């Protein structure tokens, strides 16, 4: 295994964690949006905010990590992506900024109309951001990013596959968030909210599965290289994702404990992410740029490995502590 392959593994590790924690974070905003603005929406919205408040800023650490590794370890790929897909990337970044300001100011603004405006900003941007991130992933998988960069700024991502993957990102985030919120509501002793989010978790799981199935058809027609490897080398991961999804549906209907349902939900999503990685290998940009062609010099990669090791020692335990304290309700929410 080459240094470049190890660097890709580190990149995929960060992308996986961002998909899990950031995806659930965005999914909470989706359920905030769909909760409605009447009095019935206040209780689920309170559960969502109670769950997100301690960790929402920390989740974006993984996005920063992915971007830094990408532009440092694979600068040609970073340049090609940014000069081709700058429009959806800019919209996703705008969504992150608006989402953060809406969430932060929504708790401090006093006027009812202003508070609702901040809440709507938070909720809408929680859908916009993962959707456009998904279109970026779909455009890369479809081979619409030329190695030299400067690809079509609109037609590269306004196609069935990128749009379907964008929709799947939104649905998957809602799926993860609903599963996590079931556990949070159960821990708080709110049985009605536990039931509320369980129903939404089941619905989101089915919707995400439908998008994934339709996405495979689009993958077959628009990204044949990725499709062929996904149904061959990546098939065990596809099967694992399906088994986790089915297992989750059964576990949720039987009200299985949190330590059962959450790993199943995470396993379904992680399997898809790593299945995509296997399907795309050995390309950074199918089929125009291989990993070795886009990698930085060995000296730069060695530096990245050192920084990653230091971050694993210093940052990962701190984040693990944050999530643990949050789950045990040991952090101040206000």
């Amino acid at each position: 295994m080459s240094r470049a392959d190890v660097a890709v593994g580190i990149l995929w590790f960060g992308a996986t964690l961002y998909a899990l924690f950031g995806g659930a974070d965005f999914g909470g905003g989706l359920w905030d949006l769909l909760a409605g603005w009447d009095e019935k929406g206040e209780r689920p919205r309170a559960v969502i905010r109670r769950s997100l408040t301690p960790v929402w800023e920390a989740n974006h650490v993984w996005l920063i990590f992915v971007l830094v590794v990408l532009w440092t370890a694979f600068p040609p790929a970073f340049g090609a992506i940014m000069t081709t897909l700058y429009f959806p990337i800019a919209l996703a970044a705008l969504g992150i900024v608006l989402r953060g300001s809406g969430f932060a100011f929504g708790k401090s603004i006093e006027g009812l109309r202003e508070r609702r405006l901040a809440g709507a900003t938070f909720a809408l941007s929680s859908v916009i951001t993962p959707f456009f991130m998904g279109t970026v992933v779909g455009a890369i998988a479809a081979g619409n990013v030329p190695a030299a960069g400067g690809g079509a700024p609109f037609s590269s991502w306004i196609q069935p596959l990128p749009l379907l993957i964008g929709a799947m990102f939104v649905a998957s985030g809602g799926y993860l968030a609903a599963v996590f919120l079931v556990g949070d509501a159960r821990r708080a002793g709110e049985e009605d909210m536990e039931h509320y989010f369980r129903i939404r978790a089941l619905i989101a799981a089915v919707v995400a599965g439908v998008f994934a199935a339709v996405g495979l058809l689009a993958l077959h027609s628009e990204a044949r290289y990725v499709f062929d490897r996904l149904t061959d080398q990546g098939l065990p991961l596809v099967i694992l994702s399906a088994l986790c999804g089915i297992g989750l549906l059964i576990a949720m209907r039987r009200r299985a404990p949190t330590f059962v349902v959450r790993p199943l939900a995470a396993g379904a999503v992680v399997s898809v992410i790593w299945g995509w990685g296997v399907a795309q290998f050995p390309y950074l940009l199918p089929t125009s740029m291989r990993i070795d062609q886009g990698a930085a010099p060995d000296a730069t990669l060695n530096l990245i490995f050192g920084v990653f090791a230091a971050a694993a020692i210093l940052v990962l335990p701190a984040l693990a502590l944050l999530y643990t304290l949050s789950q045990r309700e040991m952090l101040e929410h206000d």
Side-chain angles (χ1 to χ4, degrees):
M1 180 179 294
S2 67
R3 287 182 175 86
D5 291 339
V6 175
V8 165
I10 292 174
L11 181 66
W12 231 256
F13 170 78
T16 302
L17 292 179
Y18 187 61
L20 283 177
F21 296 109
D25 198 345
F26 291 126
L30 171 65
W31 298 123
D32 187 304
L33 177 65
L34 298 179
W37 299 105
D38 54 11
E39 292 183 1
K40 292 182 180 179
E42 290 303 319
R43 290 205 60 210
R45 191 169 287 113
V47 176
I48 293 167
R49 291 184 176 272
R50 186 175 66 234
S51 298
L52 292 185
T53 297
V55 299
W56 70 278
E57 289 179 296
N59 291 331
H60 290 301
V61 166
W62 304 115
L63 176 61
I64 298 170
F65 175 83
V66 169
L67 290 174
V68 170
V69 172
L70 180 60
W71 83 53
T72 307
F74 305 101
F78 180 84
I81 293 169
M82 290 297 171
T83 57
T84 300
L85 301 172
Y86 55 84
F87 195 81
I89 290 172
L91 290 176
L94 177 62
I96 290 175
V97 173
L98 292 177
R99 184 177 187 275
S101 60
F103 189 78
F105 291 125
K107 297 183 294 182
S108 57
I109 295 176
E110 295 183 359
L112 178 60
R113 188 176 68 176
E114 289 78 6
R115 226 175 20 247
R116 285 185 171 178
L117 178 61
T121 301
F122 162 73
L124 287 171
S125 57
S126 295
V127 175
I128 290 171
T129 300
F131 175 77
F132 284 109
M133 285 183 175
T135 63
V136 170
V137 171
I140 294 172
N144 295 339
V145 179
F154 293 101
S155 61
S156 58
W157 60 275
I158 304 178
Q159 294 184 9
L161 179 60
L163 296 177
L164 277 169
I165 292 183
M168 190 173 72
F169 268 43
V170 175
S172 298
Y175 159 74
L176 284 171
V179 172
F180 291 169
L181 289 167
V182 165
D184 291 344
R186 178 183 298 174
R187 189 173 59 251
E190 300 176 291
E191 293 186 7
D192 57 336
M193 288 294 97
E194 180 185 347
H195 176 73
Y196 177 94
F197 286 111
R198 183 184 301 112
I199 295 299
R200 280 149 183 79
L202 294 173
I203 294 173
V206 173
V207 172
V210 170
F211 279 130
V214 178
L216 279 175
L217 298 177
L219 199 67
H220 180 270
S221 61
E222 297 182 41
R224 192 57 187 266
Y225 175 84
V226 175
F227 176 85
D228 288 342
R229 284 188 57 88
L230 185 65
T231 54
D232 187 2
Q233 289 89 343
L235 186 59
L237 289 167
V238 174
I239 295 174
L240 178 60
S241 178
L243 291 176
C244 287
I246 295 170
L248 177 73
L249 293 175
I250 297 172
M252 292 292 285
R253 288 186 62 84
R254 296 186 176 182
R255 298 190 63 187
T258 301
F259 67 83
V260 174
V261 296
R262 287 186 174 179
L264 286 173
V269 174
V270 170
S271 298
V272 170
I273 296 169
W274 283 87
W276 172 41
V278 170
Q280 190 167 303
F281 190 84
Y283 289 97
L284 287 169
L285 302 174
T287 50
S288 60
M289 182 187 294
R290 296 193 311 272
I291 293 172
D292 58 336
Q293 292 174 329
D298 286 349
T300 302
L301 296 180
N302 289 337
L303 181 61
I304 291 173
F305 299 154
V307 172
F308 176 73
I313 295 172
L314 299 175
V315 178
L316 289 181
L319 289 172
L321 177 61
L322 172 65
Y323 292 130
T324 300
L325 293 177
S326 175
Q327 287 299 300
R328 293 181 180 181
E329 300 286 348
M330 298 174 67
L331 296 175
E332 186 67 45
H333 292 284
D334 296 328

